[in-house]
Amino acid sequence: MTVTADLAISLDGCIAGADVTLENPGGDGAEPLFEWIHNLASWRERQGLTGGQENRDSELMREWFDATGAVVMGRMMYDTGEEFWGDNPPFRTPVFVLTHRPRPTLVKAGGTTFTFVADGVHSALDQAKAVAGDRNVDIAGGARTVRQYLKEGLIDELQLHVVPALLGEGLRLFEGLGAGRRSLKPVRVVDTPLATHLKYRFVK
């Protein structure tokens, strides 16, 4: 089992724009980070849509979906995504939501459940590992959640989809980690017209 983080990121290190709110979940100016995904066939399949582009980007997105057996996310990501995901969210696996505001587990269509975890990052990861089987656990976001797992040294692989855009300001993934220096080993580089896909493995 591998603990992963798989994120779209701008050239200046942002995974969301400035001023993220419930009404503006991607933040100001963040459209380039996500618009390349929306017409991929594999992404559209997960949204219950047909058509879309079958290309290397779509293959990489499908690889992530197929390899992921459980997901951990922060409460802000859940709150900003809940309405958009609707009754049949694209995860189709158990999702564990870090929160200080627990609520009963939500069971959705397609195999997605949302379990709200109020006792910390280690507990959420342990619960995710317990149900993921031989598939990966993905730390989905947002930035603060991924930083917490990076700081604790709990992420094994990091895949960044580097989009050719400079946001100028926004949520920077690696800002204020305070985790000391860690080494990474390159695993794969895939360059497409839409993004440069970089996969690294942390050296223990």
Side-chain angles (χ1 to χ4, degrees):
M1 178 188 298
T2 302
V3 179
T4 65
D6 190 292
L7 303 150
I9 191 167
S10 67
L11 282 171
D12 50 350
C14 297
I15 64 168
D19 299 321
V20 173
T21 65
L22 291 178
E23 296 74 28
N24 186 26
D28 294 340
E31 291 81 6
L33 290 178
F34 310 110
E35 59 189 9
W36 66 278
I37 298 173
H38 295 157
N39 200 38
L40 301 181
S42 56
W43 177 259
R44 292 177 63 82
E45 288 169 12
R46 285 291 178 130
Q47 312 305 316
L49 303 172
T50 58
Q53 298 176 349
E54 281 290 4
N55 53 23
R56 188 68 175 113
D57 304 279
S58 184
E59 290 173 1
L60 293 172
M61 186 65 62
R62 186 176 287 109
E63 176 185 272
W64 179 88
F65 283 132
D66 291 346
T68 300
V71 172
V72 176
M73 68 175 60
R75 183 62 186 261
M76 184 63 169
M77 182 176 178
Y78 172 80
D79 286 344
T80 56
E82 180 181 16
E83 183 176 347
F84 174 74
W85 296 326
D87 293 328
N88 190 6
F91 305 101
R92 302 184 187 176
T93 61
V95 178
F96 297 86
V97 182
L98 291 163
T99 185
H100 296 298
R101 295 174 285 130
R103 56 187 286 188
T105 295
L106 297 178
V107 179
K108 298 284 189 173
T112 300
T113 57
F114 292 101
T115 300
F116 298 85
V117 181
D119 52 350
V121 296
H122 290 274
S123 175
L125 182 57
D126 288 344
Q127 292 181 60
K129 286 181 173 180
V131 299
D134 58 358
R135 299 165 74 196
N136 296 340
V137 173
D138 190 73
I139 311 301
R144 183 171 178 270
T145 297
V146 176
R147 287 190 206 118
Q148 288 182 78
Y149 282 96
L150 287 171
K151 185 175 181 179
E152 294 291 326
L154 296 172
I155 293 177
D156 302 312
E157 283 188 358
L158 180 65
Q159 180 158 244
L160 302 174
H161 308 281
V162 183
V163 178
L166 297 169
L167 298 193
E169 60 179 346
L171 289 176
R172 287 188 165 85
L173 178 59
F174 301 114
E175 191 170 88
L177 276 181
R181 182 172 178 174
R182 295 188 64 199
S183 298
L184 299 97
K185 175 183 177 182
V187 175
R188 181 176 69 192
V189 177
V190 178
D191 189 25
T192 78
L194 298 179
T196 300
H197 309 276
L198 308 173
K199 181 182 281 192
Y200 298 96
R201 189 165 187 90
F202 285 98
V203 177
K204 298 296 186 180

